[in-house]
Amino acid sequence: MSTTAKTNEIPDRKLKPVQINNKSVKKYPWPIAFYRTSVGKKYAMAISGIVLLGFVLSHMVGNLKMYLGAQTFDHYAEFLREMGEPLFPRTVLLWGVRLVLIGAFIIHFHCAYALTMQNRRARKPADGYQSPRDYIAASFASRTMRWGGIIILLFLIWHLADLTWGWANPDFVRGEAYANVTASLQRIPVTILYIAANIALGFHIAHGAWSIFQSLGINNPKYNAARRIFARGFAAVIVLGNISFPIAIQLGIVG
Ligand code: HEM
């Protein structure tokens, strides 16, 4: 069969690019080909979301050590840098974890952006017909998810500048995690920022953790109640844990 014959079948050969209907079509390896589909992006969004949920939960649990005093908290912060020693040199394993997180963050954002653009394109039919996909895209939940995601990204940039790089914290001393966090959260505007950002994070998680099951095809309605309890419970644990820190610092319980 000629490569220029009229057919909708993609020839199974390793030529790059192949010719179909006189158009040049690139063949990608299957993980990339799958990622390029909207189902693939939903899977990628769900899996990267699970990685990020794992991070926010362990970060919140780790931060609870703040209640055990400066020594315990700084010891924990130092443990994160020494993790994996002597098998790995200092901070190498921490950098491995950071790279996984950065990768998950980029994939999560890219999928959100690409799916939003796809929904927007589908929303402009010439005949004015509004597709079910359009309805979902315009829904309150998906708008909240987009704005929530942007707020979390802005908060994260501020948070790193505040407690990791120290640019936004005049009292920052490298390696003194407890002193840094207590100095920062003693400032009222910073306290308000942390509380507001964590409430936005809570809404994002409550909807996102519910959607993970949908995206992975675990969507039998008989599990809806359990999914809702899981998603809202997870969000509540993160929000309550995280906003307890600025409040405890303001009240002088910590610091
Ligand atoms: C009130 C809530 C929070 C507190 C008290 C807090 C505290 C901290 C502290 C003290 C550090 C520096 C740790 C160190 O120097 O070893 C840190 C780093 C970090 N935090 Fe938070 N955090 C909070 C919420 C969040 C949230 C909601 C996110 C994500 C959305 C987040 C993401 C990060 C990241 C990515 C780092 C850098 C970790 C690294 O060194 O690689 N934090 N946080």
Side-chain angles (χ1 to χ4, degrees), residues 55-56 59 63 66 73 77 81 98 152 155-156 159-160 163-164 177 181 194 198 201 242 245-246:
F55 168 74
V56 284
H59 191 45
N63 281 338
M66 214 181 284
F73 192 71
R81 300 179 221 294
R98 282 172 173 164
I152 295 162
F155 164 76
L156 193 58
H159 184 52
L160 293 175
L163 295 178
T164 300
V181 75
Y194 270 78
N198 275 286
L201 177 69
N242 276 349
F245 305 126

Side-chain angles (χ1 to χ4, degrees), residues 72-145:
T72 312
F73 192 71
D74 287 347
H75 184 249
Y76 164 68
E78 186 52 28
F79 155 80
L80 292 177
R81 300 179 221 294
E82 288 172 355
M83 212 168 34
E85 273 186 341
L87 186 59
F88 298 104
R90 193 179 133 85
T91 75
V92 166
L93 200 55
L94 178 63
W95 267 106
V97 175
R98 282 172 173 164
L99 290 177
V100 171
L101 280 177
I102 293 168
F105 221 85
I106 292 172
I107 290 173
H108 206 69
F109 258 81
H110 178 251
C111 292
Y113 176 77
L115 289 169
T116 303
M117 289 300 135
Q118 201 173 308
N119 276 325
R120 282 206 182 140
R121 279 195 297 274
R123 216 194 298 171
K124 288 182 191 153
D127 59 1
Y129 167 75
Q130 197 183 35
S131 68
R133 221 205 236 161
D134 176 23
Y135 172 72
I136 294 165
S139 75
F140 177 72
S142 52
R143 272 203 307 273
T144 312
M145 289 307 273

